[in-house]
Coordinates of all heavy atoms in Angstrom, one line a residue:
I1684 N -7.6 10.1 82.8 CA -7.1 11.0 83.8 C -8.3 11.6 84.6 O -8.2 11.6 85.9 CB -6.3 12.2 83.1 CG1 -5.1 11.6 82.4 CG2 -6.0 13.2 84.2 CD1 -4.3 12.6 81.6
A1685 N -9.4 12.0 84.0 CA -10.5 12.6 84.7 C -11.2 11.6 85.6 O -11.8 12.0 86.6 CB -11.5 13.2 83.7
A1686 N -11.1 10.3 85.3 CA -11.8 9.3 86.1 C -11.0 9.1 87.4 O -11.5 8.7 88.4 CB -11.8 8.0 85.4
D1687 N -9.7 9.5 87.4 CA -8.9 9.3 88.6 C -8.6 10.5 89.4 O -8.4 10.5 90.6 CB -7.5 8.7 88.2 CG -6.6 8.4 89.4 OD1 -7.0 7.7 90.3 OD2 -5.5 9.0 89.4
I1688 N -8.6 11.7 88.7 CA -8.3 13.0 89.4 C -9.5 13.9 89.2 O -9.9 14.2 88.1 CB -7.0 13.6 88.7 CG1 -5.8 12.6 88.9 CG2 -6.7 14.9 89.4 CD1 -4.6 13.1 88.2
Q1689 N -9.9 14.4 90.3 CA -10.9 15.5 90.4 C -10.5 16.5 91.5 O -10.3 16.0 92.7 CB -12.4 15.0 90.6 CG -12.9 14.3 89.3 CD -13.1 15.3 88.1 OE1 -13.6 16.4 88.3 NE2 -12.8 14.8 87.0
L1690 N -10.4 17.7 91.2 CA -10.0 18.7 92.2 C -11.0 18.9 93.3 O -12.2 19.0 93.1 CB -9.7 20.0 91.6 CG -8.7 20.0 90.4 CD1 -8.3 21.5 90.0 CD2 -7.4 19.3 90.8
Q1691 N -10.5 19.0 94.6 CA -11.4 19.2 95.7 C -12.0 20.6 95.7 O -13.0 20.9 96.3 CB -10.7 18.9 97.0 CG -10.4 17.4 97.2 CD -9.9 17.1 98.5 OE1 -10.0 17.8 99.5 NE2 -9.2 16.0 98.7
R1692 N -11.3 21.5 95.1 CA -11.7 22.9 95.0 C -11.2 23.5 93.7 O -10.1 23.1 93.2 CB -11.3 23.8 96.1 CG -9.8 23.9 96.3 CD -9.4 24.7 97.5 NE -8.0 24.8 97.8 CZ -7.2 25.8 97.3 NH1 -7.7 26.7 96.6 NH2 -5.9 25.7 97.6
P1693 N -11.9 24.4 93.0 CA -11.4 24.9 91.7 C -10.2 25.8 91.9 O -10.0 26.5 92.9 CB -12.6 25.8 91.2 CG -13.4 26.1 92.5 CD -13.2 25.0 93.4
L1694 N -9.3 25.6 90.9 CA -8.1 26.4 90.8 C -8.0 27.1 89.5 O -8.4 26.6 88.4 CB -6.8 25.6 91.0 CG -6.6 25.0 92.4 CD1 -5.4 24.0 92.3 CD2 -6.3 26.0 93.4
K1695 N -7.6 28.4 89.5 CA -7.4 29.1 88.2 C -6.0 29.0 87.7 O -5.1 29.3 88.4 CB -7.8 30.6 88.5 CG -7.9 31.4 87.2 CD -8.4 32.8 87.6 CE -8.6 33.7 86.4 NZ -9.1 35.1 86.7
V1696 N -5.9 28.4 86.5 CA -4.6 28.1 86.0 C -4.3 28.7 84.6 O -5.3 28.7 83.8 CB -4.5 26.5 85.8 CG1 -3.1 26.1 85.4 CG2 -4.9 25.8 87.1
V1697 N -3.1 29.2 84.4 CA -2.7 29.6 83.0 C -1.8 28.5 82.5 O -0.8 28.2 83.1 CB -2.0 31.0 83.0 CG1 -1.6 31.4 81.6 CG2 -2.9 32.1 83.6
A1698 N -2.1 28.0 81.3 CA -1.4 26.9 80.7 C -0.7 27.4 79.4 O -1.4 27.8 78.5 CB -2.3 25.7 80.4
D1699 N 0.6 27.5 79.4 CA 1.4 27.9 78.2 C 1.9 26.7 77.5 O 2.8 25.9 78.0 CB 2.6 28.7 78.7 CG 3.4 29.3 77.6 OD1 3.1 28.9 76.4 OD2 4.3 30.1 77.8
C1700 N 1.3 26.4 76.3 CA 1.7 25.3 75.5 C 2.9 25.6 74.6 O 3.4 24.7 73.9 CB 0.5 24.8 74.7 SG -0.9 24.3 75.8
G1701 N 3.3 26.8 74.5 CA 4.5 27.2 73.7 C 4.4 26.8 72.3 O 5.4 26.6 71.6
N1702 N 3.1 26.8 71.7 CA 2.9 26.4 70.3 C 3.3 24.9 70.1 O 3.4 24.5 68.9 CB 3.5 27.3 69.3 CG 3.0 28.8 69.4 OD1 3.7 29.6 69.9 ND2 1.8 28.9 69.1
G1703 N 3.5 24.2 71.1 CA 3.8 22.8 71.0 C 2.6 21.9 70.8 O 1.5 22.4 70.9
I1704 N 2.8 20.6 70.7 CA 1.6 19.7 70.5 C 0.8 19.6 71.7 O -0.4 19.1 71.6 CB 2.2 18.3 70.1 CG1 1.1 17.5 69.4 CG2 2.8 17.6 71.3 CD1 0.5 18.0 68.2
G1705 N 1.2 20.1 72.9 CA 0.3 20.0 74.1 C -0.9 20.9 73.9 O -1.9 20.6 74.6
G1706 N -0.9 21.8 72.9 CA -2.1 22.6 72.6 C -3.3 21.8 72.2 O -4.4 22.3 72.3
V1707 N -3.2 20.6 71.8 CA -4.3 19.8 71.3 C -5.2 19.3 72.4 O -6.3 19.0 72.2 CB -3.9 18.6 70.4 CG1 -3.1 19.1 69.2 CG2 -3.2 17.6 71.2
C1708 N -4.6 19.2 73.7 CA -5.4 18.6 74.8 C -5.1 19.1 76.2 O -5.8 18.7 77.1 CB -5.3 17.1 74.7 SG -3.7 16.4 75.1
A1709 N -4.0 19.8 76.4 CA -3.6 20.1 77.7 C -4.7 20.9 78.5 O -5.0 20.5 79.6 CB -2.3 21.0 77.7
A1710 N -5.2 22.0 77.9 CA -6.3 22.7 78.6 C -7.5 21.9 78.8 O -8.1 22.0 79.9 CB -6.6 23.9 77.7
D1711 N -7.9 21.0 77.8 CA -9.0 20.1 78.0 C -8.9 19.2 79.2 O -9.8 19.0 80.0 CB -9.3 19.3 76.8 CG -9.7 20.2 75.6 OD1 -10.4 21.2 75.9 OD2 -9.4 19.8 74.4
V1712 N -7.7 18.6 79.4 CA -7.5 17.7 80.5 C -7.6 18.4 81.8 O -8.3 17.9 82.7 CB -6.0 17.1 80.3 CG1 -5.7 16.3 81.6 CG2 -6.0 16.1 79.2
L1713 N -7.0 19.6 81.9 CA -7.0 20.3 83.2 C -8.5 20.8 83.5 O -8.9 20.9 84.6 CB -6.1 21.5 83.1 CG -4.6 21.0 82.9 CD1 -3.7 22.3 83.0 CD2 -4.2 20.0 84.0
R1714 N -9.2 21.2 82.4 CA -10.6 21.5 82.7 C -11.5 20.3 83.0 O -12.4 20.4 83.9 CB -11.2 22.2 81.4 CG -10.7 23.6 81.1 CD -11.2 24.1 79.8 NE -10.7 25.5 79.6 CZ -10.2 25.9 78.4 NH1 -10.2 25.1 77.4 NH2 -9.7 27.1 78.3
D1715 N -11.1 19.2 82.5 CA -11.8 17.9 82.8 C -11.8 17.6 84.3 O -12.7 17.0 84.9 CB -11.3 16.7 82.0 CG -11.7 16.8 80.5 OD1 -12.6 17.6 80.2 OD2 -11.0 16.1 79.7
I1716 N -10.6 17.9 84.9 CA -10.5 17.6 86.3 C -11.0 18.7 87.3 O -10.9 18.6 88.5 CB -9.0 17.3 86.7 CG1 -8.1 18.5 86.5 CG2 -8.5 16.2 85.8 CD1 -6.7 18.3 87.0

Side-chain angles (χ1 to χ4, degrees):
I1684 296 175
D1687 181 57
I1688 301 175
Q1689 287 295 317
L1690 304 188
Q1691 292 186 21
R1692 62 183 175 92
L1694 290 174
K1695 190 174 185 179
V1696 185
V1697 178
D1699 183 353
C1700 299
N1702 297 112
I1704 197 63
V1707 303
C1708 67
D1711 291 330
V1712 168
L1713 300 184
R1714 287 175 181 135
D1715 289 342
I1716 68 172

